[in-house]
Amino acid sequence: MADVSLKEIALIVGVVAACYWNSLFCGFVFDDVSAILDNKDLHPSTPLKNLFQNDFWGTPMSEERSHKSYRPLTVLTFRLNYLFSELNAVSYHLLNLVFHAVVCIVFLKVCKLFLDNRSSVIASLLFAVHPIHTEAVTGVVGRAELLSSIFFLAAFLSYTKSKGQDNTIVWTPIAVTVCLVAVATLCKEQGITVVGICCVYEVFIAQGYTLPMLLDAAMQILRGKCSIPYSMLQTLLKLIVLMFSTLLLVVVRVQVIQSQLPVFTRFDNPAAVSPSPTRQLTFNYLLPVNAWLLLNPSELCCDWTMGTIPLVESFLDIRNIATITFFCFLGSLIVFSLRYPGDSSKTVLMALCLIVLPFIPASNLFFPVGFVVAERVLYVPSMGFCILVAHGWKRLTNKSVLRKLSWICLSVVLFTHALKTLHRNWDWESEYTLFMSALKVNKNNAKLWNNVGHALENEKNFERALRFFIQATQVQPDDIGAHMNVGRTYKNLNKTKEAEESYMIAKSLMPQIIPGKKYAARVAPNHLNVYINLANLIRANESRLEEADQLYRQAISMRPDFKQAYISRGELLLKMNKPVKAKEAYLRALELDRTNADLWYNLAIVYIELKDPTEALKNFNWALELNPKHKLALFNSALLMQESGDPMLRPEAKKRLLSYVKEEPQDANGYFNLGMLAMDDKKDAEAESWMKKAIRLQPGFRSALFNLALLYSQTAKELMALPVLEELLRYYPDHTKGLILKGDILMNQKKDISGAKKCFEKILEMDPNNVQGKHNLCVVYFEERDLIKAEKCLVETLVLAPHEEYIQRHLNIVRSKISLLGAAEQSTFPADGTAAVGGKKIPFENLKEVKNEQKTTQTLNSNINKGQSNSKKRTEKNNTDKETKKKSTKEIKDIEKKRVAALKRLEEIERILNGE
């Protein structure tokens, strides 16, 4: 076996780079979204063991909705990408490019086992530039093919070293081969097929047998004319070891998928659910279709499902000619390679093995797959195709007449293939460009129309998206998903009636209940979302909540492990003010998935509704244990700790709020609540800093503006509070507490009685029965020395609040003043804004209240969009100053501290439950 030179490596790497450099500018498209963007297994916070418990898309293998594609080592490489660059698509595409170059180099080494040096380089170059590989190389999820191919070829190369001198067995390469096969299989399932190639290599290449020789030896042994040769016994021993190890891998694989095949619909692979002979005719026709893609990759498509290739329903279908021709050609190559000795037949045999054996798992011969044709599964089979082409080219160049023509043809093929690959890469730039390029090739695939609609929907272009979704329903009228897409888009366009009609059509296409049969065996799990979407739509109408609940229960009855139905029903039950039943729904969902941080968060919200803050906090903590960066759990658990009033919880609340603002640096609510915590801890400077930051991020932040002004007023910085209050009242002219505080400062600090009077009069214009505003206006009249008007005002105020002792007391003071001094006698008023008569003071009523406008919180739902809201408010009791006996300065300060502490309690926590 010849070594690969540095020049050859440089040539291969250069060609790969020239063909795929523009793939670095592509994003995450098609299956990349599920495998990369939506896959939590990539996140460092997810335990590594989850990679070996979940499928390629991050779904637990135990769940029936799992695709059962078990590729943990491929996901591990995605996780490494995420570790270094998170979701920067460039690094993912760059690593794919590198892996493709490695495959090409290892493939060159394999080619040199069967071809001469020049032909091997030609085969490797053909493989490097072939356009069929763009899906495997430019599509990030194609990394499964790339990684599996590296270990696939390495396992084969290792096995070729298992034959020692005098035909002895070298066991070390065989052990390495078994290990590499296992690794290849953990990258992608087809890696296990290399064992079949090793077996063929051992019998027909290493031992040099031909089919006639084997038949003759078998007949001799059966007739008893000779015993089994020692070399053949050694060969059998090696094959037994290989087959036993393969069987062991298969058993482990079956255990991993828990003996369950994935659930596919007839839309994914129509032939798989067709009757005989349609199923057999169509599956056989797909073989020449795949061969044609290798031979002429001019029209490539990212999705060949649904109606892309019409079913072959009759023996008279003209397409059967292509099937017959293909099998005749394949059969002749097999006969030639097995019957005749020589290097040429050996080369053809190994090329056929590389074409046929790795393709078997995708051929639908042994089990149905979720696609009709997939270009990426031709990645390894194309190796055999390239060897055949290079071998045929070599035979042509041996003839002097055709030598020049063969070089010209080869040059044209390499150039056009490279150009096609470079151009094809741009199709993978975005989902829109990818699916639009596919529609140019195939307009009979409703899934492509749907996917273009999804791409436009992601860009918020709902009108155009709707046209593509409607076209999908026309191409495939019984496509449940297409009608669901139409309904969702109508909802986004606020056309509720049309949305409901579309959902009802989708619902009518669902199969009817068959007693004793599970829906999961006949319906794709995502199709059951039609019940969720329809329920989420109609529950916006308060009179139809029971109808929505019935839809959730119907979905659950059809599929008892339908986690999403329990989650959505829990949200609805909260809206229906049935928190106990909501708790039961969430607990049932947690039985199905205890690793879902969102579920623990939702359950915490339920316990808040049940007025059980201790249990709520426990569930918030569970959510944070599963996902330390769960933003809503961080925020709302901090609020719960803050609201509890327990000083021991404040440090942890602050820690969580700091973590929250790190995750959401542009959310003013986080900084505001840090300011409130600092106020509770008497850290005035820190509180001021946090409040100012909240206001900078959200200039009209009502609560932050008022509390900053309140902070200034409590720290003897009343004049600094005035401009803050002016800004507050510019945004919210009807802010009663702001007007009261402003009037207080104007009266006590600025001695602006007129300005204070305007504030209180404005309050009474908005609310004539506001006791605070009315009482403080009475004090203004007293300050204006209009005792008669002050008396009348206090009488009116007393009518509004007959049980407020301080109003009666102030009224008595005014009447006493009138009786003692007469209407003409006036008092001197102290600078603190209170009126003094006979050693008594009428306090200017300064009622301060904190309104904490908290961030909207929501229960989480990963699959269905929701918009239903339900708010829970906690309102503070008004804290009024009451006249007491004259106290010492220290006593007055203590009372003031207690009053301020009471005023700073949180008023409100809002929750919004999402619904579709």
Side-chain angles (χ1 to χ4, degrees):
M1 180 172 58
D3 291 329
V4 178
S5 69
L6 288 176
K7 288 183 180 180
E8 291 168 340
I9 292 175
L11 176 63
I12 296 297
V13 171
V15 170
V16 169
C19 289
Y20 287 99
W21 64 268
N22 58 338
S23 69
L24 302 180
F25 300 97
C26 298
F28 295 115
V29 297
F30 203 13
D31 290 339
D32 297 346
V33 176
S34 299
I36 308 296
L37 300 183
D38 299 338
N39 193 345
K40 293 181 180 179
D41 287 348
L42 272 63
H43 301 170
S45 58
T46 304
L48 275 174
K49 66 177 182 179
N50 284 22
L51 273 64
F52 296 90
Q53 296 173 347
N54 299 342
D55 66 13
F56 188 52
W57 318 98
T59 305
M61 295 292 289
S62 57
E63 293 191 12
E64 200 159 6
R65 64 189 178 93
S66 169
H67 279 219
K68 311 301 181 186
S69 46
Y70 188 65
R71 304 162 192 172
L73 296 186
T74 303
V75 179
L76 182 61
T77 65
F78 292 151
R79 185 169 174 135
L80 291 174
N81 270 119
Y82 188 92
L83 183 64
F84 287 105
S85 64
E86 293 194 351
L87 295 176
N88 182 358
V90 174
S91 72
Y92 293 80
H93 288 293
L94 178 61
L95 195 55
N96 271 26
L97 190 153
V98 171
F99 285 146
H100 180 54
V102 172
V103 173
C104 293
I105 293 168
V106 180
F107 176 58
L108 174 59
K109 197 171 182 68
V110 171
C111 289
K112 291 189 176 188
L113 292 171
F114 315 108
L115 297 170
D116 62 35
N117 196 58
R118 187 173 60 182
S119 300
S120 298
V121 172
I122 295 301
S124 185
L125 287 174
L126 280 171
F127 181 79
V129 303
H130 203 297
I132 202 74
H133 300 155
T134 51
E135 183 172 343
V137 181
T138 310
V140 177
V141 295
R143 186 177 298 177
E145 268 74 24
L146 306 177
L147 283 173
S148 180
S149 298
I150 291 173
F151 295 107
F152 179 101
L153 295 174
F156 177 69
L157 286 173
S158 177
Y159 186 80
T160 60
K161 300 175 182 178
S162 64
K163 180 181 177 181
Q165 293 181 352
D166 301 325
N167 207 23
T168 56
I169 300 175
V170 183
W171 289 106
T172 301
I174 295 177
V176 172
T177 296
V178 172
C179 292
L180 290 172
V181 170
V183 173
T185 307
L186 291 175
C187 293
K188 192 177 181 183
E189 297 79 2
Q190 70 181 26
I192 200 170
T193 59
V194 71
V195 173
I197 295 175
C198 291
C199 291
V200 173
Y201 174 84
E202 176 65 31
V203 175
F204 296 99
I205 308 300
Q207 301 301 327
Y209 293 116
T210 61
L211 188 59
M213 290 172 62
L214 289 176
L215 292 175
D216 183 59
M219 293 299 295
Q220 294 291 335
I221 293 169
L222 290 174
R223 290 172 183 173
K225 293 183 177 181
C226 67
S227 60
I228 301 176
Y230 180 72
S231 61
M232 189 173 288
L233 287 174
Q234 286 188 311
T235 299
L236 287 173
L237 179 60
K238 292 169 74 174
L239 295 181
I240 289 170
V241 170
L242 281 177
M243 298 308 295
F244 179 79
S245 61
T246 303
L247 182 62
L248 186 62
L249 286 174
V250 170
V251 170
V252 172
R253 185 68 174 81
V254 171
Q255 289 296 317
V256 167
I257 67 173
Q258 300 184 359
S259 304
Q260 293 179 341
L261 289 174
V263 178
F264 297 118
T265 68
R266 59 190 176 86
F267 303 112
D268 298 318
N269 190 349
V273 294
S274 300
S276 298
T278 299
R279 181 170 64 254
Q280 290 78 13
L281 290 174
T282 303
F283 283 156
N284 282 289
Y285 172 68
L286 293 180
L287 298 176
V289 170
N290 281 279
W292 180 250
L293 286 175
L294 288 174
L295 191 63
N296 178 30
S298 58
E299 292 188 341
L300 300 177
C301 181
C302 63
D303 193 298
W304 295 80
T305 56
M306 304 189 83
T308 303
I309 299 176
L311 297 173
V312 181
E313 299 178 309
S314 168
F315 288 102
L316 300 178
D317 194 309
I318 195 170
R319 289 175 293 174
N320 290 320
I321 296 176
T323 305
I324 295 171
T325 303
F326 170 79
F327 277 107
C328 288
F329 181 71
L330 181 64
S332 64
L333 289 178
I334 292 173
V335 170
F336 169 77
S337 61
L338 293 178
R339 184 172 183 179
Y340 301 104
D343 292 339
S344 181
S345 60
K346 291 178 181 179
T347 301
V348 172
L349 177 61
M350 293 311 301
L352 289 176
C353 286
L354 282 169
I355 292 173
V356 175
L357 295 180
F359 186 74
I360 287 177
S363 65
N364 289 284
L365 294 177
F366 299 104
F367 48 82
V369 294
F371 53 83
V372 178
V373 173
E375 293 166 12
R376 62 180 176 272
V377 303
L378 294 174
Y379 188 77
V380 176
S382 68
M383 294 178 185
F385 173 78
C386 291
I387 290 176
L388 275 181
V389 172
H391 180 60
W393 174 84
K394 175 189 172 184
R395 298 291 294 268
L396 289 175
T397 56
N398 289 335
K399 299 179 180 181
S400 58
V401 179
L402 301 175
R403 183 175 299 145
K404 185 178 290 187
L405 181 62
S406 64
W407 273 105
I408 293 172
C409 291
L410 177 66
S411 300
V412 170
V413 169
L414 287 173
F415 179 75
T416 55
H417 275 41
L419 203 61
K420 172 67 176 178
T421 297
L422 192 66
H423 181 266
R424 173 67 172 157
N425 288 335
W426 290 120
D427 291 341
W428 293 80
E429 184 177 12
S430 67
E431 294 211 316
Y432 180 77
T433 57
L434 179 64
F435 297 125
M436 285 301 292
S437 70
L439 281 176
K440 293 176 184 177
V441 176
N442 172 31
K443 298 185 186 302
N444 296 321
N445 187 341
K447 190 175 179 180
L448 293 176
W449 293 99
N450 279 321
N451 285 336
V452 175
H454 286 309
L456 293 168
E457 187 179 35
N458 292 336
E459 297 173 359
K460 307 299 181 185
N461 192 341
F462 298 121
E463 292 286 354
R464 284 191 66 199
L466 182 62
R467 292 199 291 271
F468 281 91
F469 288 141
I470 290 175
Q471 182 63 33
T473 63
Q474 294 172 354
V475 171
Q476 189 87 36
D478 57 351
D479 182 6
I480 297 172
H483 290 288
M484 290 169 63
N485 292 335
V486 172
R488 185 181 63 256
T489 309
Y490 273 131
K491 181 180 181 299
N492 289 330
L493 292 170
N494 296 318
K495 296 182 178 180
T496 307
K497 182 180 178 182
E498 292 87 347
E500 184 173 349
E501 289 173 355
S502 297
Y503 283 141
M504 290 301 293
I505 294 173
K507 181 173 175 286
S508 68
L509 293 171
M510 296 287 286
Q512 300 302 309
I513 295 177
I514 300 176
K517 288 194 176 182
K518 290 177 62 178
Y519 263 75
R522 297 179 289 115
V523 180
N526 61 310
H527 284 173
L528 288 174
N529 284 331
V530 65
Y531 295 96
I532 308 299
N533 293 350
L534 181 58
N536 292 338
L537 179 71
I538 66 176
R539 78 183 196 184
N541 185 339
E542 296 289 336
S543 64
R544 302 181 70 183
L545 297 183
E546 289 292 343
E547 185 181 347
D549 188 37
Q550 176 63 30
L551 286 167
Y552 291 136
R553 284 185 278 127
Q554 186 174 355
I556 291 170
S557 68
M558 294 164 64
R559 190 180 179 94
D561 64 345
F562 192 14
K563 178 179 64 179
Q564 193 57 55
Y566 292 107
I567 295 173
S568 299
R569 185 167 185 247
E571 295 169 0
L572 177 67
L573 291 168
L574 273 178
K575 185 176 182 180
M576 296 171 71
N577 199 25
K578 298 179 180 179
V580 175
K581 288 188 175 181
K583 183 178 78 170
E584 293 173 357
Y586 284 131
L587 288 174
R588 180 69 182 94
L590 280 170
E591 290 177 10
L592 300 171
D593 183 8
R594 297 190 66 83
T595 62
N596 190 325
D598 296 342
L599 277 175
W600 291 103
Y601 171 83
N602 288 0
L603 190 57
I605 297 298
V606 172
Y607 279 115
I608 289 177
E609 197 74 20
L610 290 169
K611 297 181 174 57
D612 191 345
T614 303
E615 283 299 316
L617 189 55
K618 286 181 182 178
N619 285 278
F620 279 138
N621 291 340
W622 271 112
L624 290 170
E625 185 172 327
L626 291 167
N627 180 8
K629 294 183 179 181
H630 195 291
K631 291 181 283 192
L632 289 176
L634 285 169
F635 185 85
N636 288 287
S637 62
L639 291 189
L640 201 60
M641 293 175 178
Q642 186 178 3
E643 189 185 33
S644 70
D646 186 351
M648 302 294 291
L649 294 177
R650 287 178 194 162
E652 180 61 24
K654 182 178 180 180
K655 179 181 176 182
R656 294 188 181 187
L657 284 173
L658 287 171
S659 298
Y660 175 78
V661 298
K662 184 178 179 181
E663 295 296 317
E664 289 286 344
Q666 298 303 312
D667 186 3
N669 290 280
Y671 301 104
F672 167 73
N673 284 284
L674 282 166
M676 295 299 294
L677 272 176
M679 288 177 71
D680 288 340
D681 290 333
K682 310 299 182 186
K683 297 178 180 178
D684 299 331
E686 184 181 336
E688 180 183 358
S689 174
W690 290 124
M691 292 295 183
K692 284 182 175 179
K693 189 160 188 177
I695 294 167
R696 280 198 301 273
L697 288 171
Q698 187 178 326
F701 197 160
R702 177 185 176 119
S703 297
L705 287 167
F706 178 75
N707 282 284
L708 180 59
L710 183 63
L711 177 65
Y712 284 142
S713 71
Q714 292 169 354
T715 54
K717 298 177 182 178
E718 288 87 349
L719 296 181
M720 292 178 67
L722 273 180
V724 179
L725 288 169
E726 292 290 349
E727 185 178 357
L728 171 67
L729 295 171
R730 179 164 60 86
Y731 285 103
Y732 309 100
D734 58 346
H735 195 289
T736 303
K737 303 304 179 187
L739 288 168
I740 288 176
L741 186 56
K742 181 182 176 183
D744 181 9
I745 295 172
L746 290 174
M747 176 70 76
N748 289 327
Q749 302 299 321
K750 300 282 287 185
K751 309 303 179 184
D752 184 357
I753 298 175
S754 175
K757 184 177 182 180
K758 289 179 181 178
C759 291
F760 302 134
E761 286 177 340
K762 185 170 184 178
I763 292 171
L764 294 177
E765 285 177 11
M766 297 183 294
D767 181 10
N769 296 325
N770 188 289
V771 175
Q772 302 162 32
K774 186 83 171 174
H775 175 268
N776 289 355
L777 184 60
C778 299
V779 176
V780 170
Y781 293 149
F782 193 82
E783 287 285 348
E784 290 178 337
R785 303 170 189 264
D786 192 342
L787 297 181
I788 300 300
K789 201 168 185 179
E791 179 189 23
K792 180 182 177 183
C793 178
L794 284 168
V795 169
E796 293 172 353
T797 307
L798 191 60
V799 171
L800 294 174
H803 301 295
E804 294 291 350
E805 182 267 340
Y806 72 92
I807 299 176
Q808 181 64 59
R809 188 168 61 254
H810 296 170
L811 178 59
N812 293 338
I813 292 172
V814 172
R815 285 174 173 172
S816 175
K817 176 69 175 176
I818 293 172
S819 64
L820 289 175
L821 302 178
E825 185 177 357
Q826 298 297 321
S827 250
T828 302
F829 291 83
D832 64 355
T834 60
V837 179
K840 297 180 181 179
K841 293 185 177 181
I842 301 178
F844 181 86
E845 189 65 16
N846 175 23
L847 187 144
K848 302 171 186 176
E849 182 174 323
V850 178
K851 182 176 182 183
N852 181 10
E853 296 177 345
Q854 302 294 1
K855 174 179 171 61
T856 298
T857 62
Q858 58 189 23
T859 52
L860 296 181
N861 188 331
S862 58
N863 296 325
I864 310 296
N865 295 323
K866 300 181 174 58
Q868 302 302 324
S869 66
N870 180 26
S871 60
K872 178 178 178 66
K873 299 183 178 178
R874 294 177 172 83
T875 308
E876 301 234 332
K877 292 173 66 179
N878 290 339
N879 182 31
T880 55
D881 292 336
K882 299 184 180 180
E883 182 73 11
T884 60
K885 294 181 180 180
K886 189 171 183 180
K887 300 181 183 292
S888 66
T889 303
K890 182 178 180 181
E891 289 174 321
I892 292 173
K893 286 183 178 179
D894 289 340
I895 292 171
E896 178 65 14
K897 286 181 179 179
K898 292 178 181 178
R899 184 176 67 83
V900 170
L903 289 172
K904 288 192 298 181
R905 288 176 298 175
L906 300 176
E907 179 189 34
E908 173 183 58
I909 292 181
E910 293 183 355
R911 272 182 310 95
I912 292 180
L913 299 175
N914 270 349
E916 199 205 42

